[in-house]
């Protein structure tokens, strides 16, 4: 059997060898780069996102980005995939934190708050996904779409639970209702401005309107 040998790791853009400390530094730089890309993508959209803008936010030289990602498209693909996963994980965490036996309407209200607070206040990644996922070429959005399908499945279950409890209006098609709800929640990233009012007020109005429209 051939004896294993240690491969020589490439140097980082600043010349640091990829030893344990170098690997740690590389991971931190990559995370900072991904955060910066999420911020820029959430603000400027797919067409307007430039590597020079990302590099400026990340405080690295633009050519150094290619050490971590082969292209702008690969970086954006990673952002939206990460963002879609974070949306699903955040919603699951919020719902799992609710007390056992929480009524379906209250679980739905919690989901409304979870999405709005996450995409408007907590996460550049969530905003990047909501604003760009449907505008990306298919090969860039494929991983994100898998996560978003699972996210929508959680919402399907929430509305099904409402129906099973006899609290869904008979004239509301659950599929259409779910898509209208998610569409309206997603659209808030295009118009909401913290200077126009507190996010808590926006959440309360959304919860009231959604529950009023679904229940008898």
């Amino acid at each position: 059997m051939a004896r294993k040998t240690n491969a020589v790791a490439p140097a980082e853009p600043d010349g640091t060898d990829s030893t344990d400390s170098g690997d740690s530094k590389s991971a931190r730089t990559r995370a900072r780069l991904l955060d910066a890309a999420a911020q820029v993508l959430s603000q400027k959209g797919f067409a307007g996102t430039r590597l020079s803008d990302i590099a400026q936010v990340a405080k690295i030289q633009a050519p150094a980005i290619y050490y971590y990602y082969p292209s702008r498209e690969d970086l954006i693909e990673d952002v939206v995939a990460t963002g879609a996963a974070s949306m699903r994980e955040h919603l699951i965490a919020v719902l799992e934190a609710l007390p056992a036996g929480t009524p379906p309407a209250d679980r739905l209200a919690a989901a409304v708050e979870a999405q709005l607070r996450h995409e408007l206040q907590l996460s550049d990644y969530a905003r990047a996904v909501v604003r760009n996922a449907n505008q990306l070429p298919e090969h860039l959005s494929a991983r994100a779409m898998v996560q978003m399908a699972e996210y929508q499945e959680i919402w399907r279950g929430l509305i099904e639970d409402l129906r099973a409890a006899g609290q869904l209006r008979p004239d509301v098609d659950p599929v259409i209702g779910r898509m209208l709800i998610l569409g309206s929640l997603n659209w808030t990233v295009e118009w909401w401005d913290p200077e126009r009012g507190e996010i808590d007020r926006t959440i309360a109005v959304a919860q009231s309107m959604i529950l009023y429209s679904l229940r008898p």
Side-chain angles (χ1 to χ4, degrees), residues 30-31 33-34 37 51 63-79 82 143:
R30 184 185 182 93
L33 175 60
L34 202 62
L51 290 182
I65 293 176
Y66 293 106
Y67 175 83
Y68 302 95
Y69 290 95
S71 69
R72 165 183 175 271
E73 286 71 24
D74 286 291
L75 175 54
I76 289 174
E77 192 270 346
D78 205 9
V79 168
T82 301
R143 275 203 298 156

Side-chain angles (χ1 to χ4, degrees), residues 119-191:
E119 71 186 13
L120 298 180
Q121 188 177 52
L122 300 178
S123 176
D124 287 332
Y125 289 89
R127 281 190 298 279
V129 172
V130 170
R131 295 194 67 188
N132 296 281
N134 291 328
Q135 302 175 23
L136 297 178
E138 185 176 349
H139 69 284
L140 296 185
S141 62
R143 275 203 298 156
M145 289 300 101
V146 172
Q147 298 286 344
M148 293 308 296
E150 295 178 3
Y151 183 80
Q152 291 200 18
E153 184 63 17
I154 298 171
W155 277 89
R156 187 203 64 77
L158 291 169
I159 295 176
E160 175 57 26
D161 290 345
L162 195 69
R163 186 200 64 77
Q167 297 178 19
L168 182 67
R169 284 171 39 187
D171 60 330
V172 173
D173 181 294
V175 175
I176 296 174
R178 169 170 54 86
M179 298 307 293
L180 287 172
I181 290 169
L182 290 175
S184 66
L185 294 178
N186 289 342
W187 188 249
T188 58
V189 300
E190 302 294 343
W191 60 262

Side-chain angles (χ1 to χ4, degrees):
M1 178 182 295
R3 187 177 63 180
K4 294 182 180 179
T5 58
N6 293 325
V8 177
E12 291 210 42
D14 62 0
T16 302
D17 290 335
S18 293
T19 59
D20 289 343
S21 60
D23 288 342
S24 177
K25 178 180 178 182
S26 178
R28 291 195 301 271
T29 303
R30 184 185 182 93
R32 190 169 76 248
L33 175 60
L34 202 62
D35 288 346
Q39 179 182 328
V40 175
L41 186 63
S42 71
Q43 295 171 350
K44 298 191 175 184
F46 175 63
T49 293
R50 300 181 302 175
L51 290 182
S52 57
D53 295 328
I54 295 171
Q56 183 176 8
V57 174
K59 295 180 172 56
I60 66 174
Q61 296 296 316
I65 293 176
Y66 293 106
Y67 175 83
Y68 302 95
Y69 290 95
S71 69
R72 165 183 175 271
E73 286 71 24
D74 286 291
L75 175 54
I76 289 174
E77 192 270 346
D78 205 9
V79 168
V80 294
T82 301
S86 76
M87 290 180 67
R88 179 182 60 81
E89 291 162 4
H90 180 71
L91 179 56
I92 290 173
V94 166
L95 293 175
E96 288 183 345
L98 296 175
T102 298
D106 292 343
R107 286 175 57 82
L108 188 60
V112 171
E113 178 174 4
Q115 170 150 345
L116 289 178
R117 200 173 293 283
H118 196 223
E119 71 186 13
L120 298 180
Q121 188 177 52
L122 300 178
S123 176
D124 287 332
Y125 289 89
R127 281 190 298 279
V129 172
V130 170
R131 295 194 67 188
N132 296 281
N134 291 328
Q135 302 175 23
L136 297 178
E138 185 176 349
H139 69 284
L140 296 185
S141 62
R143 275 203 298 156
M145 289 300 101
V146 172
Q147 298 286 344
M148 293 308 296
E150 295 178 3
Y151 183 80
Q152 291 200 18
E153 184 63 17
I154 298 171
W155 277 89
R156 187 203 64 77
L158 291 169
I159 295 176
E160 175 57 26
D161 290 345
L162 195 69
R163 186 200 64 77
Q167 297 178 19
L168 182 67
R169 284 171 39 187
D171 60 330
V172 173
D173 181 294
V175 175
I176 296 174
R178 169 170 54 86
M179 298 307 293
L180 287 172
I181 290 169
L182 290 175
S184 66
L185 294 178
N186 289 342
W187 188 249
T188 58
V189 300
E190 302 294 343
W191 60 262
W192 185 77
D193 185 338
E195 295 183 359
R196 296 180 181 177
E198 293 291 332
I199 188 172
D200 290 344
R201 180 60 178 163
T202 300
I203 290 170
V205 170
Q207 290 170 325
S208 177
M209 292 182 67
I210 288 171
L211 290 174
Y212 183 82
S213 66
L214 292 178
R215 295 186 295 180

